[in-house]
């Protein structure tokens, strides 16, 4: 049981490292997305371009797309003027009818358009201030020269299956747009995963966070292992405290006295079990500098205990390999960490929570076994002294 507990503690330490790195990676990925790439809005625009028939009639669809973004319902979703342009085609290249012509997209595109907003904006664009009913909508669709043929067929189907109710027609268009949104979401996830992997590799290599080396250190260093488990336990308590506090705020808003009493007692128990001020860092009224100092002190303690990260110690073979085999092992360890970090903080938090719950069930048993297996001596029997016949 002791071996099982030790292996579990090593796993908890590794998962906790992955979780902390995943949180850093997620924050940096979001920062890169917001400051530089702005790919959410670009992917959405590309999806609308295809939805409007850009893969069959790029020029007509592009004009339709530009007019859509100028709609008053959409115009308020971005700042400034929107300069949409098509990438010029090469003179010697035949126009493609299988893929949309590429767009030159600005960075101020709206990252999200609600399905209802899309449907209203698109239908009002087609109706052009005419009566808002299905008969007029069908007439406008058939008479329009700004709609590609395939788009006309799709819109006609949506209106004809609405039973003459304009609201049903709008709902059909909303569903059509939502299906496109799911596809665009897949595009964005692939793009975000690539950025996250690049950032994860940069973090892991810069910090020399080698899974194999850390695992070896946790196996042989009981103090480091215990400290990592303690830090992971504090992290779980902080998140649990935050969740309970949110539930308490909701109970207070609804004036549910029974729930308020129960949640208040649970929060007090969590704070008492935490035994440090770290569990208070996400509650109101705490000094941010105090929380920062606590976290830095914890990191310094882990480093003092021997967590083998960083490149600063050139004499430590764990951090600075001195042979080809050691370098190969180092590269494998770094790669494992980078892949693990890409799985994301929610994944590792769930794993950590399960490990901590499982550990709480086997730890008492380990202590009980020691007591049960210890030979019991009667009070009146003297234990013989070794070496004395």
């Amino acid at each position: 049981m002791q071996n099982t507990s030790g292996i579990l503690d090593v796993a908890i330490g590794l998962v906790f490292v992955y979780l902390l790195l995943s949180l850093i990676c997620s924050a940096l990925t979001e920062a890169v997305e917001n400051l530089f790439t702005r790919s959410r809005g670009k992917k959405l625009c590309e999806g609308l371009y295809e939805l409007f028939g850009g893969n069959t009639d790029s020029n007509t669809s592009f004009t339709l797309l530009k007019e859509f973004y100028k709609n008053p319902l959409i115009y308020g979703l971005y700042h400034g003027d929107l300069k949409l342009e098509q990438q010029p085609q090469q003179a010697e290249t035949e126009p493609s009818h299988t893929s949309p012509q590429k767009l030159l997209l600005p960075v101020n595109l709206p990252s999200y358009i609600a399905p209802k907003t899309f449907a209203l904006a698109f239908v009002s664009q087609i109706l052009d201030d005419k009566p808002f009913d299905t008969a007029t909508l069908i007439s406008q669709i058939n008479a329009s020269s700004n709609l590609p043929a395939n788009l006309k067929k799709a819109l006609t189907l949506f209106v004809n299956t609405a039973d003459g109710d304009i609201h049903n027609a709008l709902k059909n268009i909303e569903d059509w747009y939502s299906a496109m949104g799911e596809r665009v979401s897949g595009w964005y996830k692939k793009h975000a995963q690539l950025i996250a992997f690049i950032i994860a590799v940069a973090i892991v290599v810069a910090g020399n966070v080698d899974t194999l080396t850390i695992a070896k250190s946790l196996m042989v260093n009981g103090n480091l292992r215990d400290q990592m488990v303690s830090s992971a336990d504090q992290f779980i308590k902080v998140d649990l405290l935050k969740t309970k506090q949110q539930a308490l705020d909701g109970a207070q808003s609804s004036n549910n006295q029974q729930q308020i009493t129960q949640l208040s007692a649970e929060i007090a128990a969590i704070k008492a079990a935490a035994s440090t001020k770290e569990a208070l860092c996400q509650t109101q009224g705490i000094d941010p500098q105090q929380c920062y100092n606590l976290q830095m002190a914890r990191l310094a303690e882990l480093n003092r205990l021997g967590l083998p990260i960083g490149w600063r110690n050139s004499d430590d073979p764990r951090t600075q390999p001195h042979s080809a085999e050691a370098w190969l092992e180092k590269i494998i360890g770094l790669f494992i960490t980078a892949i693990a970090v890409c799985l994301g903080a929610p994944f590792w938090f769930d794993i950590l929570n399960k490990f901590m719950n499982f550990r709480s069930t086997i730890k008492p048993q380990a202590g009980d076994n020691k007591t049960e297996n210890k030979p019991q001596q009667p009070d009146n029997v003297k234990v013989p002294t070794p070496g004395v016949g």
Side-chain angles (χ1 to χ4, degrees), residues 100 108 133 244 305 328 330 364:
N108 62 332
D133 55 67
K244 295 292 184 181
L305 290 172
L328 178 60
K330 170 67 67 176

Side-chain angles (χ1 to χ4, degrees), residues 195-214:
I195 295 178
F197 178 73
I198 294 173
I199 293 176
V201 170
I203 293 173
V204 169
V205 173
N208 187 22
V209 188
D210 177 358
T211 290
L212 301 180
T213 302
I214 293 175

Side-chain angles (χ1 to χ4, degrees), residues 78-125:
Y78 56 88
H79 298 287
D81 293 330
L82 204 61
K83 298 180 180 179
L84 292 175
E85 297 180 2
Q86 286 179 299
Q87 184 175 8
Q89 290 183 338
Q90 299 294 333
E92 67 274 7
T93 304
E94 290 291 334
S96 174
H97 295 285
T98 59
S99 60
Q101 187 175 344
K102 291 185 179 180
L103 303 175
L104 301 177
L105 302 176
V107 296
N108 62 332
L109 289 162
S111 60
Y112 176 74
I113 299 175
K116 186 174 182 179
T117 302
F118 167 81
L120 289 172
F122 190 39
V123 169
S124 65
Q125 180 179 343

Side-chain angles (χ1 to χ4, degrees), residues 245-258:
Q245 188 64 53
Q246 291 174 348
L248 178 61
D249 294 340
Q252 290 174 342
S253 299
S254 60
N255 198 23
N256 188 334
Q257 293 300 326
Q258 181 179 359

Side-chain angles (χ1 to χ4, degrees), residues 5 25 49 62 64 81 93 112 156 191 210 222 297 301 338 352 369:
S5 178
C25 182
Y49 183 47
F62 179 70
L64 188 64
D81 293 330
T93 304
Y112 176 74
T156 301
H191 176 79
D210 177 358
E301 179 66 14
L352 180 62
N369 288 342

